[in-house]
Amino acid sequence: MPRLSHTAARAVRAIKPRGAAKPASVGAAIERCARELRRARVFFGHGTTDARDEAAELVFFVAGLAHELGAGAYPRLLTPRQEARIEALLQRRIVERIPLAYLTHRAFFAGLELYVDERVLVPRSPIAELAINRFEPWIRAAGVRRILDIGTGSGAIALACARAFPRARVDATDISAAALQVCRRNVRRLGLGGRVTALQSDYFSRVPRRRYDIIVSNPPYVGRAEMRTLPHEYRHEPELGLASGIDGLDAVRAIFADARSYLEDEGILVVEVGNTETELLRAFPRLPFVWPRIAMGGGGVFLLRARDLQVPAGESKRGG
């Protein structure tokens, strides 16, 4: 049996001094972790929504429990080793401000469990809901045969699309070779290698000359000023996946430049721009953006039909 780290060993002594304390239950551990996370005022949003949500993920991960068990798992007792591991991860989360997904190396997206580490952003795009709903009513799902995911990172959106469209082939591109290593790992673990291809490409530079029914992207969209104010947790994520010029629109401009020539005539472009929505509307006032309602929360995702992607002259100046 491997030895506990110094941090974990100290946690055991803190939790069970001289063997006097009773084993903690799953529910009690969740409550305690939630209190500590609230007190520390860490930032949530990397796959969890609040202190209790994150505490439940931490405890269930260490205890090896499926989230489907819900409150039915709360009476279960934790072993001393599990309590120590929870404490060690909790302290790293609080002291180092590392997103929990990087500590557990797992994230959930559109019903899929994915491997993640600091080579990729933690998947959290509201595009997940649109993929689950097969981008209806904006496209006829039965006719979708090819999908392109630009800036795939962990492969989350590409893999969600592959699951939603079982007859479609998906090209998942990223400029980062390191990110594509993570993507390919997730492709293998989900058994989707026959339909999902990971390609290194700077936007469309190495994308095969073919037409897609759907082009989807969660590209970098954080402007220079906003980058300086992001919570500490974001510093653990690759800047390449966040920063996008002065106004946050460099990536969107690059996508607009070539998307039309890669889309089928009835195809759609779906892109997340988050808080940069206002800048987008100012930069492209004549484009007929559709903003789907996201029932599970989140926003800043627009949709354009192929026929609408003739960017008017004078509306594509680079933000720098």
Side-chain angles (χ1 to χ4, degrees):
M1 183 176 293
R3 297 177 61 187
L4 292 175
S5 68
H6 292 303
T7 302
R10 286 196 300 270
V12 169
R13 289 193 293 270
I15 293 170
K16 297 178 70 62
R18 302 172 186 256
K22 294 180 180 179
S25 68
V26 167
I30 290 173
E31 292 300 326
R32 185 182 68 82
C33 289
R35 286 195 302 271
E36 293 294 325
L37 290 167
R38 292 189 196 99
R39 186 177 297 119
R41 297 184 178 179
V42 299
F43 175 82
F44 303 106
H46 290 85
T48 58
T49 57
D50 55 40
R52 186 175 178 81
D53 187 29
E54 182 149 310
E57 163 61 3
L58 171 56
V59 174
F60 272 55
F61 169 77
V62 173
L65 299 170
H67 281 286
E68 288 76 14
L69 293 172
Y74 286 11
R76 298 192 185 193
L77 298 180
L78 298 166
T79 67
R81 186 170 294 275
Q82 288 172 337
E83 291 185 65
R85 181 63 174 153
I86 290 168
E87 182 64 18
L89 291 176
L90 179 65
Q91 291 308 312
R92 290 200 67 195
R93 173 71 180 95
I94 290 171
V95 174
E96 300 177 53
R97 288 303 200 261
I98 300 173
L100 181 61
Y102 290 152
L103 296 173
T104 63
H105 293 303
R106 78 171 181 181
F108 297 93
F109 187 84
L112 305 176
E113 182 177 330
L114 304 172
Y115 172 88
V116 295
D117 60 32
E118 294 187 23
R119 291 173 289 181
V120 298
L121 299 185
V122 177
R124 52 188 178 270
S125 174
I127 290 174
E129 182 177 312
L130 301 180
I132 290 172
N133 293 330
R134 308 178 79 189
F135 299 100
E136 293 179 335
W138 299 283
I139 198 162
R140 189 175 64 86
V144 173
R145 290 295 179 268
R146 287 199 175 273
I147 301 169
L148 173 64
D149 175 23
I150 298 173
T152 195
S154 65
I157 292 175
L159 292 164
C161 288
R163 280 285 178 89
F165 299 92
R167 296 184 179 181
R169 291 186 174 273
V170 182
D171 289 333
T173 71
D174 205 294
I175 192 174
S176 168
L180 289 173
Q181 292 175 348
V182 178
C183 175
R184 292 187 180 106
R185 177 171 180 164
N186 283 318
V187 170
R188 289 192 300 270
R189 71 183 292 172
L190 294 175
L192 290 169
R195 293 194 294 115
V196 179
T197 303
L199 302 169
Q200 187 171 11
S201 180
D202 185 5
Y203 299 105
F204 294 92
S205 64
R206 297 180 64 183
V207 173
R209 275 288 173 182
R210 58 171 63 119
R211 299 275 182 160
Y212 295 89
D213 301 291
I214 301 171
I215 297 177
V216 62
S217 182
N218 177 17
Y221 56 73
V222 182
R224 190 170 298 171
E226 187 181 359
M227 280 294 296
R228 300 190 191 103
T229 65
L230 290 176
H232 190 87
E233 279 82 354
Y234 287 94
R235 299 179 191 176
H236 294 278
E237 295 192 293
E239 185 175 340
L240 186 65
L242 295 170
S244 192
I246 292 176
D247 62 357
L249 293 178
D250 282 6
V252 172
R253 291 185 179 93
I255 292 170
F256 280 170
D258 292 302
R260 179 64 187 91
S261 62
Y262 284 86
L263 273 173
E264 293 283 4
D265 290 342
E266 298 301 316
I268 58 173
L269 172 68
V270 183
V271 180
E272 179 178 349
V273 291
N275 295 335
T276 314
E277 178 180 334
T278 301
E279 293 294 333
L280 177 77
L281 294 173
R282 183 180 297 120
F284 299 93
R286 286 179 281 175
L287 282 178
F289 296 106
V290 175
W291 300 92
R293 179 179 175 272
I294 308 296
M296 292 187 293
V301 176
F302 72 77
L303 182 146
L304 287 169
R305 301 181 188 279
R307 61 179 177 268
D308 298 324
L309 274 169
Q310 303 300 329
V311 181
E315 290 191 15
S316 59
K317 294 180 180 179
R318 185 168 295 276

